[in-house]
Amino acid sequence: MGLGIKKGDTVLVTTGKEKGKKGRVLSVMLSKDKLIIEKVNIIKKHMKPSKKYSQGGIIEKEAPVHISNVMLICPRCSKPARIASMTFDSGKKSRVCKKCKETIDQ
């Protein structure tokens, strides 16, 4: 399902308790259709002391957000927009903003 959102893109959350927040995509889980977005959907998790968390305790981290609840923010026009896929004559595929008609990938 993907919807053309990749790691490093800036997205806007459109629904849910985090509606209106913007953030950078940290990771994409295509098998579950979910994203982890920087500083969005923060949860508190109780962790036992381990090698990664030597102190243990309550750790705050980002929880996944469903990919259908976000929109990509076009880097050119800085507005949330739907994206289209376009194939050029050279055979290269690229993402295109449907608002400003500019290519998102270089």
Side-chain angles (χ1 to χ4, degrees), residues 23-40:
R24 192 170 48 92
V25 177
L26 298 176
S27 68
V28 179
M29 295 178 266
L30 282 177
S31 59
K32 296 180 180 178
D33 292 333
K34 293 190 179 227
L35 307 166
I36 294 183
I37 306 167
E38 189 175 43
K39 297 179 183 169
V40 174

Side-chain angles (χ1 to χ4, degrees), residues 42-86:
I42 301 291
I43 59 166
K44 292 185 179 202
K45 188 165 175 97
H46 295 72
M47 301 292 286
K48 279 182 155 181
S50 64
K51 285 186 179 179
K52 191 172 181 183
Y53 303 105
S54 60
Q55 186 69 26
I58 301 170
I59 285 114
E60 290 188 349
K61 64 182 220 171
E62 292 94 355
V65 176
H66 199 270
I67 204 163
S68 66
N69 295 338
V70 298
M71 281 186 86
L72 180 72
I73 295 178
C74 176
R76 305 281 192 264
C77 61
S78 300
K79 295 178 184 172
R82 295 194 314 245
I83 47 178
S85 182
M86 181 183 252

Side-chain angles (χ1 to χ4, degrees), residues 67-106:
I67 204 163
S68 66
N69 295 338
V70 298
M71 281 186 86
L72 180 72
I73 295 178
C74 176
R76 305 281 192 264
C77 61
S78 300
K79 295 178 184 172
R82 295 194 314 245
I83 47 178
S85 182
M86 181 183 252
T87 307
F88 295 104
D89 295 334
S90 62
K92 186 182 174 197
K93 238 179 166 181
S94 182
R95 299 180 295 169
V96 178
C97 172
K98 285 193 172 184
K99 280 192 176 179
C100 64
K101 308 289 189 255
E102 288 287 326
T103 57
I104 294 169
D105 301 322
Q106 273 84 7

Side-chain angles (χ1 to χ4, degrees), residues 5-6 8-12 22-25 71-75:
I5 296 174
K6 297 179 180 178
D9 287 340
T10 305
V11 293
L12 173 76
K22 295 178 185 177
R24 192 170 48 92
V25 177
M71 281 186 86
L72 180 72
I73 295 178
C74 176

